[in-house]
Amino acid sequence: MSWLSNIPPGIKNIFKPKDDNSDTLWTKCPGCGEMIFQRDLDAAHQVCPSCDHHLAIAPEERLALLFDNGAFDEIDLPEPVTDPLKFRDEKKYVDRLKENRRKTGQPDAMRAAHGMVDGVGVVALVQNFKFMGGSMGMALGEAMLKAAETAVERRAPLIVFAASGGARMQEGILSLMQMPRTTIAVQMVKEAGLPYIVVLTNPTTGGVTASYAMLGDVNLAEPGALIGFAGPRVIEQTIREKLPEGFQRSEFLLEKGMVDMVVSRADMKTTLSKLIRVLVKERRQSTASAAKPAAIASAPAKVAKLEKPKKPAPKEPQKLDKAAE
């Protein structure tokens, strides 16, 4: 038995790591290394005032920034089967779920809500990277389907803020099955003639990038966000070559045409509002123009009545004069 096991519980609590939710006065910027006063960081919505590095933001704050007056209504999401594979590694999967639910205050990695964005009704989904790395499991698939159904029912655009490390390994093949399920959810929205917009945040990788995160009518990204399928370290080890500077970052993907726009957090709502209005207007015009030929085709054709040609009058035999006779 190790001598560490004989340490009294009171002393253990002194050296116990602090909870992630504990308040701190200062935060070190991952981009420039500068210490930022937490109140200043909160006022800037978790954006470094020195280097413009975008730190992670809580789903509640993300939704409050998106919707008018910060007002929105939560969408009740279905609760899937918990731990269908009875998975266990260092901990039981059930225990991991309990720990992350206590830490984040939400049942899983995805949160859905609906509200108004500059007077237009919108359904939004926000992925929380702090919940098991925003991993995609059965609960996320259910959330995508429910949000898509709500968007179709309300005739509202669907916006997804993606942040994930990929599929959830604790659910095995069931997590990979969420890739086609989320794709079907996106297709439901598009078939209804509604806009689907994706905002890629740091990081968005794995099966999430390979499914719904890259299917948007418009794909936006926050500055400096890591976006890709496999991480740069894995790619370097595979191809045994040094990757270019800024590889898989949002600015690099913008140059290569994988992302439509790189938008800072402060300008995100304004940009989304303009996109929504343009896309909704285009969809309505295209729907109206498509309905006109259908209406013309369904209308009964008017057949012109042709008059019967008149029979020519019989010609009288010509009378020959006496000389001709």
Side-chain angles (χ1 to χ4, degrees):
M1 182 182 294
S2 173
W3 64 271
L4 292 173
S5 60
N6 297 325
I7 297 177
I11 298 177
K12 284 183 180 180
N13 292 332
I14 296 174
F15 298 98
K16 186 178 180 180
K18 293 184 178 180
D19 191 4
D20 293 337
N21 293 329
S22 59
D23 295 331
T24 56
L25 293 176
W26 299 87
T27 299
K28 185 177 180 180
C29 174
C32 61
E34 184 176 338
M35 298 299 294
I36 312 169
F37 191 47
Q38 187 61 44
R39 289 185 181 179
D40 295 338
L41 192 60
D42 294 339
H45 307 300
Q46 310 304 314
V47 177
C48 177
S50 300
C51 67
D52 199 41
H53 180 84
H54 284 52
L55 285 79
I57 187 172
E60 297 84 0
E61 189 175 357
R62 176 83 69 181
L63 293 170
L65 286 174
L66 174 65
F67 292 115
D68 296 344
N69 301 320
F72 56 88
D73 296 323
E74 289 274 354
I75 297 175
D76 294 330
L77 303 177
E79 186 176 349
V81 178
T82 303
D83 194 12
L85 303 180
K86 307 299 179 185
F87 189 91
R88 176 169 185 165
D89 46 13
E90 295 177 354
K91 292 182 181 179
K92 291 182 180 179
Y93 179 39
V94 177
D95 295 337
R96 288 190 183 276
L97 287 174
K98 289 179 181 178
E99 180 183 348
N100 283 270
R101 286 169 180 170
R102 178 191 59 81
K103 182 174 64 176
T104 61
Q106 60 185 81
D108 211 272
M110 189 71 92
R111 188 172 178 180
H114 61 82
M116 307 297 289
V117 177
D118 288 342
V120 180
V122 169
V123 176
L125 284 161
V126 179
Q127 230 167 330
N128 189 358
F129 190 78
K130 290 186 176 180
F131 194 105
M132 297 186 69
S135 52
M136 178 176 60
M138 295 174 64
L140 188 145
E142 294 289 346
M144 279 290 297
L145 286 169
K146 181 64 177 179
E149 291 171 357
T150 305
V152 172
E153 180 184 348
R154 293 176 171 268
R155 303 297 302 168
L158 179 61
I159 301 175
V160 175
F161 293 88
S164 176
R168 186 171 296 176
M169 68 174 188
Q170 287 86 354
E171 295 186 13
I173 190 64
L174 297 175
S175 65
L176 297 178
M177 289 172 63
Q178 307 314 307
M179 295 173 66
R181 292 188 76 207
T182 54
T183 304
I184 291 171
V186 173
Q187 192 62 28
M188 288 169 52
V189 176
K190 293 188 175 183
E191 287 180 354
L194 300 169
Y196 173 64
I197 303 173
V198 180
V199 180
L200 303 163
T201 67
N202 184 46
T204 303
T205 58
V208 170
T209 307
S211 55
Y212 64 89
M214 298 302 290
L215 297 177
D217 297 318
V218 180
N219 288 333
L220 308 181
E222 287 189 336
L226 176 66
I227 304 164
F229 183 71
R233 178 176 55 83
V234 176
I235 296 175
E236 282 187 340
Q237 291 176 353
T238 303
I239 66 176
R240 297 181 181 180
E241 289 185 12
K242 185 68 177 176
L243 298 174
E245 187 68 24
F247 182 75
Q248 289 186 319
R249 296 291 172 175
S250 52
E251 292 79 7
F252 182 86
L253 296 182
L254 179 64
E255 294 178 4
K256 303 302 179 183
M258 294 292 291
V259 171
D260 297 305
M261 296 175 66
V262 176
V263 184
S264 64
R265 194 169 291 165
D267 301 328
M268 188 61 71
K269 179 179 178 179
T270 304
T271 304
L272 287 172
S273 176
K274 291 178 181 178
L275 285 172
I276 289 169
R277 291 183 182 279
V278 170
L279 291 174
V280 169
K281 185 177 180 180
E282 286 182 354
R283 297 293 169 87
R284 286 176 180 173
Q285 288 178 348
S286 61
T287 304
S289 60
K292 286 181 181 178
I296 293 173
S298 61
K302 294 182 179 180
V303 180
K305 294 182 179 179
L306 301 176
E307 295 182 358
K308 294 181 179 180
K310 296 180 180 180
K311 294 181 180 180
K315 294 182 179 180
E316 295 181 0
Q318 294 182 354
K319 292 182 180 183
L320 301 176
D321 54 8
K322 293 182 178 181
E325 293 177 354

